[in-house]
């Protein structure tokens, strides 16, 4: 393999490590939140990728106000999660429900049930940008 190809492979692998480390560090600081990366793929649209994660929320656990550099498509797997999306009334989505969150729109999520809640988040984002940005 040529040196350039090896360098490109190392750079691509490192970008995935940065994504995982940053996102993992943020969720580690949030009691009752556990994130599991499911998949990540380049799209046919240059500079875009899709990332899919599972997020588990202990009863009462909340993910604070944040935003993403692209669209988020949410599918609630279990429990009941209240979403507060800027510009919309808070809404509770139960297992089997879905939600679309536009790019860069601040939002928060909280388990309002008595059992562990879980969602699958699918993100269509600009490649190389941090997936999550906390909003003060």
């Amino acid at each position: 393999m040529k040196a350039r190809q090896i360098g490109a492979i190392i750079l691509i692998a490192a970008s995935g490590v940065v994504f995982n480390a940053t996102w993992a560090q943020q969720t580690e600081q949030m009691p009752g939140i556990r994130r599991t990366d499911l998949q990540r793929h380049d799209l046919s649209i240059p500079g875009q990728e899709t990332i899919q994660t599972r997020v588990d929320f202990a009863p009462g656990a909340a993910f604070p106000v944040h935003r993403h550099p692209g669209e988020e498509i949410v599918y609630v797997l279990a429990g009941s999660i209240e979403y507060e999306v800027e510009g919309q009334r808070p809404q509770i989505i139960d297992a089997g429900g879905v939600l679309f969150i536009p790019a860069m729109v601040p939002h928060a999520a909280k388990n309002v049930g008595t059992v562990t809640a879980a969602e699958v988040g699918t993100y269509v984002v600009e490649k190389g940008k941090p997936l999550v940005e906390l909003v003060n």
Side-chain angles (χ1 to χ4, degrees):
M1 209 181 266
K2 294 181 180 178
R4 274 190 203 172
Q5 290 172 322
I6 293 171
I9 291 168
I10 291 170
L11 181 60
I12 290 167
S15 68
V17 170
V18 169
F19 156 74
N20 289 330
T22 302
W23 185 221
Q25 288 168 350
Q26 288 174 340
T27 55
E28 284 173 7
Q29 298 170 10
M30 297 175 200
I33 303 288
R34 187 181 74 216
R35 182 207 36 88
T36 305
D37 294 332
L38 300 174
Q39 58 179 329
R40 180 185 195 133
H41 300 282
D42 289 342
L43 295 174
S44 59
I45 304 163
Q48 297 288 305
E49 67 181 335
T50 184
I51 300 168
Q52 195 168 58
T53 64
R54 176 185 172 127
V55 181
D56 291 276
F57 298 78
F63 201 103
V65 179
H66 63 284
R67 59 185 172 201
H68 308 282
E71 286 75 20
E72 178 181 10
I73 300 107
V74 175
Y75 176 73
V76 177
L77 295 169
S80 298
I81 302 173
E82 180 180 60
Y83 295 91
E84 293 184 17
V85 179
E86 185 176 90
Q88 299 178 20
R89 297 177 67 157
Q91 55 187 310
I92 296 173
I93 309 290
D94 296 316
V98 297
L99 178 67
F100 176 82
I101 303 170
M104 298 306 290
V105 173
H107 58 284
K110 179 180 181 179
N111 180 351
V112 293
T114 58
V115 300
T116 298
E119 70 172 29
V120 169
T122 302
Y123 307 90
V124 178
V125 296
E126 187 175 335
K127 190 171 180 160
K129 288 197 173 182
L131 181 60
V132 177
E133 177 185 333
L134 294 178
V135 177
N136 293 328

